[in-house]
Amino acid sequence: MMDCKKALTETDGELEAAVDWLRKSGLAQAARKAGRTAAEGLIGMATAPGKAAMVEINAETDFVARNADFQRPAHELAMHIAAASPQAVSRDSLDQTMVERERGVLAEQARAEGKPENIIEKMIEGRLRKFFEEVVLLEQTWVIDGETRVKSVLESLAGTLDTSVAVSDFVRYQLGEGIERESKDFAAEVAAQLGS
């Protein structure tokens, strides 16, 4: 309300000019906010049988980080990570050798289908988009509602809290992940026990 009054005062009561003034002012405010550092925040954590996830979510102030409207989505984001198994926060942070390997596999699949070379590149791009939707956190479908992209959830949260919100990193743990299991030949084991 005060911004509207100020806009009308600044433009001598001209309604169209006031609207333009508000739009310009809004862009200037957005530009100022874009330069702020989001160095406060919290660590969200979620566990499920056999897996867990921790996520660091940053905001501009500790006041925002203590807000329940900020804490609930942080916990939900950790639950999402535990369930959806993303490999990276964004496309830029995804291992580029993984992307190139996927690109090569997709090209070979398209060639095996007998597609012409001019169509193959378009197919690869479409299939890579699908690949990114599976492995990049910000491009995944939010498991909480099954419709919204994670990036949109974070943008909505930032709008609700009137601050910038960013996922800087996450860690996902899977029970037994990275542990080499001893493979046993059950038949040989039974035979050895019967022979003794």
Side-chain angles (χ1 to χ4, degrees):
M1 192 73 148
M2 294 305 294
D3 287 338
C4 292
K5 182 179 178 182
K6 186 174 180 180
L8 287 168
T9 303
E10 291 288 326
T11 59
D12 297 324
E14 292 183 34
L15 192 57
E16 292 297 320
V19 169
D20 290 342
W21 186 90
L22 283 169
R23 291 179 67 205
K24 289 176 188 172
S25 174
L27 291 176
Q29 285 179 326
R32 281 195 303 274
K33 285 185 178 184
R36 294 186 199 168
T37 302
E40 299 296 331
L42 57 87
I43 305 276
M45 189 167 111
T47 60
K51 55 190 167 188
M54 292 189 322
V55 62
E56 177 182 350
I57 303 180
N58 294 336
E60 292 175 11
T61 66
D62 64 338
F63 175 76
V64 169
R66 291 190 307 247
N67 184 325
D69 290 336
F70 186 80
Q71 293 176 356
R72 182 186 47 77
H75 178 71
E76 288 177 351
L77 185 60
M79 289 185 342
H80 172 92
I81 291 167
S85 305
Q87 303 295 309
V89 173
S90 65
R91 285 187 187 194
D92 294 337
S93 61
L94 190 60
D95 181 5
Q96 292 306 303
T97 57
M98 176 191 287
V99 174
E100 290 307 313
R101 185 172 49 246
E102 186 69 16
R103 182 181 295 278
V105 168
L106 294 173
E108 289 305 313
Q109 286 175 346
R111 285 187 187 95
E113 293 172 10
K115 302 294 181 185
E117 286 296 320
N118 60 339
I119 301 294
I120 290 177
E121 191 57 36
K122 291 178 184 174
M123 289 178 67
I124 291 171
E125 291 308 312
R127 290 179 180 177
L128 271 178
R129 262 193 308 278
K130 180 70 175 156
F131 170 73
F132 291 137
E133 289 172 5
E134 292 173 5
V135 300
V136 174
L137 174 65
L138 295 178
E139 297 186 30
Q140 288 182 326
T141 302
W142 186 237
V143 297
I144 305 300
D145 69 8
E147 297 176 4
T148 314
R149 298 268 180 235
V150 172
K151 181 178 181 177
S152 298
V153 170
L154 295 175
E155 288 169 351
S156 175
L157 177 62
T160 300
L161 299 173
D162 193 32
T163 187
S164 63
V165 175
V167 176
S168 57
D169 201 5
F170 67 85
V171 178
R172 184 181 181 282
Y173 296 99
Q174 178 76 37
L175 184 64
E177 188 174 48
I179 298 174
E180 195 171 315
R181 297 177 190 249
E182 181 181 333
S183 63
K184 296 180 181 179
D185 182 357
F186 184 68
E189 190 175 320
V190 169
Q193 287 181 0
L194 291 175
S196 11

